[in-house]
Amino acid sequence: QLGLDANKFSSCLESDKFKDEVQKDLAYGSTIGVQGTPAFFMNGRMISGACPSQTFDSAYQAEANGDEWAVTNCQLVKL
């Protein structure tokens, strides 16, 4: 259980209180290549999708070693 107040949540969601902020974030994400969630960035390189921790560990090690890298389908590729 989350302990979420369902009425409060529904009221907030239906109010569009944060609609402009969300739209702004969506537009920005689109300009930098985000096409869905989750999307993560490590020093400007995108890791897209629900990747396992090993993907992030490999990316961190490649970054620490100064390697050029990218992640495709949750697999690290050294460039």
Side-chain angles (χ1 to χ4, degrees):
Q1 289 253 4
L2 293 176
L4 179 70
D5 182 330
N7 290 331
K8 203 173 195 180
F9 177 79
S10 293
S11 176
C12 179
L13 191 60
E14 292 169 7
S15 74
D16 288 336
K17 180 178 180 179
F18 297 103
K19 183 179 180 178
D20 291 341
E21 189 172 340
V22 170
Q23 291 299 325
K24 187 172 117 182
D25 288 346
L26 283 170
Y28 174 67
S30 180
T31 66
I32 58 173
V34 175
Q35 297 178 347
T37 59
F40 305 91
F41 288 86
M42 186 179 293
N43 285 343
R45 294 181 176 91
M46 184 167 58
I47 301 172
S48 182
C51 299
S53 62
Q54 178 59 38
T55 301
F56 293 91
D57 291 343
S58 297
Y60 175 79
Q61 287 300 320
E63 190 66 28
N65 292 335
D67 298 332
E68 289 296 317
W69 59 273
V71 170
T72 303
N73 296 324
C74 292
Q75 298 294 317
L76 183 114
V77 178
K78 290 187 181 179
L79 305 174

